[in-house]
Structures are given as C-alpha cells and as structure tokens.
C-alpha cells in the first residue's frame, strides 16, 4: 500500500511517518532529502538551498527527479509513506506516472497551532530526531536523547519563514485536498490532538483499509 501524508508545514507529517516507518513502512520525505543535500553541499543542495531557506517550493522538475531517483533505490513492493510530496497538482500528476497512490491522509490543524509547533521544533543535526520544546522536549537540556548531539533550530523555522511557508501551502498545496477528494482517495485526520492520538487515528484507518483489501 502507498499512502501520501498531506497537510500544512508543521502539522506532524514527519512525526507520523516516522511512526509508520517503525512499523516497517518505507518513509520518503522530500524535505529530508533536500536538507541532506544542502548539508553536504552537493549539486542538488546548491540548486535548492535558496528555495528551502526562503520557504518556497523548489521547482517541480527538480523535485520530481529527486523522487524518481529515490523510488529506484527502494523496494517498490513495500508499503510506502510519502511525506512532503506532492505539493501541487503538477506533482500529483507526475506521481501518478510513478506509483499507485492508494490513500491520502490529510492532517488538519489551524495556522496558529502550526506556528506554535514550528517555532518550538528543534532537531538533531546528526541523527535527524525531531523534538519540540513544549510537547516533546529532550530529557537532557537540549541534547539529543538518541545520540547526545546539541539540538538546533531549522533555518526555515523562523516565524517570518513559517508564515511564508503557510502562505505557499494555502496557495499551492491546499488545492490538493479537493483534487484527492474528487479522486476518492482523501481521508481526513484531526491533527490537533497529541502525537499518540493522531497516530491512533492513522493506525485505525490503515487497519480498516487492510481488512477491506
Ligand atoms: P518539508 O521538510 O517537507 O517541510 P514541511 O512540509 O514544511 O513540513 P515540516 O517538516 O516543517 O513539518 P511536519 O508536518 O513534518 O511536522 P513535524 O512532524 O516535524 O519541506 C521543507 C522545504 O523543502 C519546503 O519548504 C520546500 O522548500 C522544500 N520541499 C520539500 N518537498 C518539496 C516538494 N515536494 N516540492 C517542492 N519543494 C519541496 O512536527 C512539527 C513539530 O510539531 C515538531 O516539533 C513535533 O515534535 C511537533 N508535533 C508533531 N505532531 C504533534 C502533535 N500532534 N502535537 C503536538 N506537537 C506535535
């Protein structure tokens, strides 16, 4: 089964996809792939850094190529969870030529809660673990529980960039909600609860689909 997790920046797409990965799903995060390239300073990283740091979408032809390459590296018979792709209708159409999307989970939450979550997010630069100083703090004063590195704030988690990302989301990505609703693939998830509460809803949906298959 292949699912897309759709929703605004900071709604918890990555957090929930990681939980699915712990159950054996292959997690593909286009944002993570881009950040890794930027960190390495490779050709892709140099091309996309300015877009990512400004909170804009990287051009479709680049990101579609990134996804194609990633799909070639993985076992496409596994369950796949896409996090951060597609971001607009053109990407959704490109995806249709690459894999079959079985369901789209739309995580819903209002902008004010998003801003609170993102300004409080901290990440581990070494292992990628994601924290939140309010809802999921590390146990040892701003060090990663898994590898001990000092936590950092993502460059695009400054409030001005978060507002820009939300603006881009409402203009470019939100139309995908109707697109996938019309295709009969959309499932809405209330993402305002705790991480566990949101995950329980996702797990229930997946179990329901598995029974129907
Ligand atoms: P990307 O990394 O995909 O960023 P995003 O969509 O803005 O999503 P985030 O990673 O910020 O948030 P999330 O929803 O995963 O939330 P998280 O789980 O971390 O993309 C970054 C950039 O790359 C884009 O701006 C663009 O430039 C480029 N890009 C990527 N894909 C692209 C594409 N397809 N096309 C073009 N450009 C692309 O949670 C957030 C925080 O909240 C954390 O601190 C977490 O602990 C906390 N939290 C999570 N869930 C809960 C909860 N239920 N309750 C309380 N706190 C919670």
């Amino acid at each position: 089964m292949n699912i897309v997790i759709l929703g605004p920046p900071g709604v918890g797409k990555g957090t929930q996809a990681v939980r699915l990965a712990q159950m054996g799903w292959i997690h593909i995060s286009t944002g993570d792939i881009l950040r890794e390239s930027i960190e390495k300073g490779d050709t892709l990283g140099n091309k996309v850094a300015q877009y990512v740091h400004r909170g804009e979408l990287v051009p479709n032809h680049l990101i579609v190529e990134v996804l194609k390459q990633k799909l070639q590296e993985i076992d496409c018979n596994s369950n796949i969870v896409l996090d951060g792709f597609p971001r607009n209708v053109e990407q959704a159409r490109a995806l249709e030529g690459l894999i079959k999307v079985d369901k789209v989970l739309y995580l819903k939450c209002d902008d004010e809660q998003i801003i609170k979550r993102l300004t409080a997010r901290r990440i581990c630069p070494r292992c990628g673990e994601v924290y939140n100083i309010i809802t999921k703090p590390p146990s040892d004063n701003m060090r990663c529980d898994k590898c001990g590195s000092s936590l950092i704030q993502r460059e695009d988690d400054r409030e001005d960039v978060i507002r820009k990302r939300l603006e881009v989301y409402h203009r470019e990505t939100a139309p995908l909600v109707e697109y996938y609703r019309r295709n009969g693939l959309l499932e809405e998830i209330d993402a305002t609860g705790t991480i566990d509460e949101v995950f329980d809803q996702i797990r229930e949906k997946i179990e329901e689909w598995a029974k129907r298959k």
Side-chain angles (χ1 to χ4, degrees):
M1 170 178 278
N2 301 320
I3 63 173
V4 166
I5 303 192
L6 178 67
V11 72
K13 302 181 296 296
T15 300
Q16 299 300 332
V18 166
R19 298 284 290 263
L20 288 174
Q22 287 162 354
M23 292 167 54
W25 289 63
I26 294 185
H27 172 199
I28 300 180
S29 158
T30 43
D32 285 350
I33 296 171
L34 297 176
R35 277 184 293 279
E36 258 178 50
S37 277
I38 294 170
E39 181 67 27
K40 280 192 223 148
D42 65 17
T43 315
L44 173 69
N46 292 333
K47 281 188 193 158
V48 300
Q50 51 170 336
Y51 297 101
V52 174
H53 293 156
R54 287 203 299 250
E56 294 166 4
L57 295 186
V58 313
N60 287 335
H61 70 278
L62 284 177
I63 199 76
V64 170
E65 204 43 50
V66 165
L67 183 71
K68 266 189 199 162
Q69 277 183 21
K70 187 70 193 175
L71 289 172
Q72 278 164 11
E73 290 165 17
I74 62 167
D75 173 7
C76 284
N77 293 318
S78 314
N79 294 322
I80 298 172
V81 52
L82 284 173
D83 152 19
F85 192 100
R87 291 288 242 267
N88 54 34
V89 172
E90 193 179 326
Q91 291 182 16
R93 295 210 170 108
L95 182 61
E96 283 153 22
L98 298 174
I99 56 169
K100 177 174 178 284
V101 174
D102 295 294
K103 286 286 175 189
V104 175
L105 290 169
Y106 166 40
L107 304 194
K108 282 174 73 174
C109 186
D110 63 67
D111 286 5
E112 286 317 305
Q113 199 166 346
I114 294 289
I115 292 168
K116 277 192 199 137
R117 284 185 189 176
L118 284 182
T119 47
R121 174 165 61 184
R122 298 294 181 274
I123 58 164
C124 173
R126 193 193 291 169
C127 72
E129 187 70 8
V130 176
Y131 296 87
N132 187 290
I133 51 179
I134 301 163
T135 58
K136 193 189 164 211
S139 43
D140 175 21
N141 191 27
M142 299 317 281
R143 291 198 168 272
C144 178
D145 293 343
K146 288 199 169 160
C147 71
S149 301
S150 293
L151 303 183
I152 57 162
Q153 188 165 27
R154 258 171 58 174
E155 270 207 48
D156 58 351
D157 279 348
R158 290 195 332 258
E159 192 166 335
D160 57 328
V161 187
I162 295 169
R163 289 193 186 276
K164 170 79 187 174
R165 286 159 64 200
L166 279 167
E167 189 192 306
V168 170
Y169 169 78
H170 288 297
R171 191 180 60 238
E172 309 230 4
T173 310
L176 285 177
V177 172
E178 276 316 306
Y179 180 86
Y180 282 121
R181 203 192 306 276
R182 276 199 308 273
N183 290 355
L185 297 179
L186 197 82
E187 293 283 348
E188 294 192 11
I189 300 283
D190 173 7
T192 58
T194 64
I195 292 172
D196 284 343
E197 284 166 354
V198 177
F199 189 66
D200 285 346
Q201 295 176 63
I202 292 177
R203 210 188 33 216
E204 273 170 28
K205 294 274 181 209
I206 290 173
E207 284 168 4
E208 219 177 279
W209 302 328
K211 269 190 219 149
R212 279 198 236 136
K213 263 196 157 190

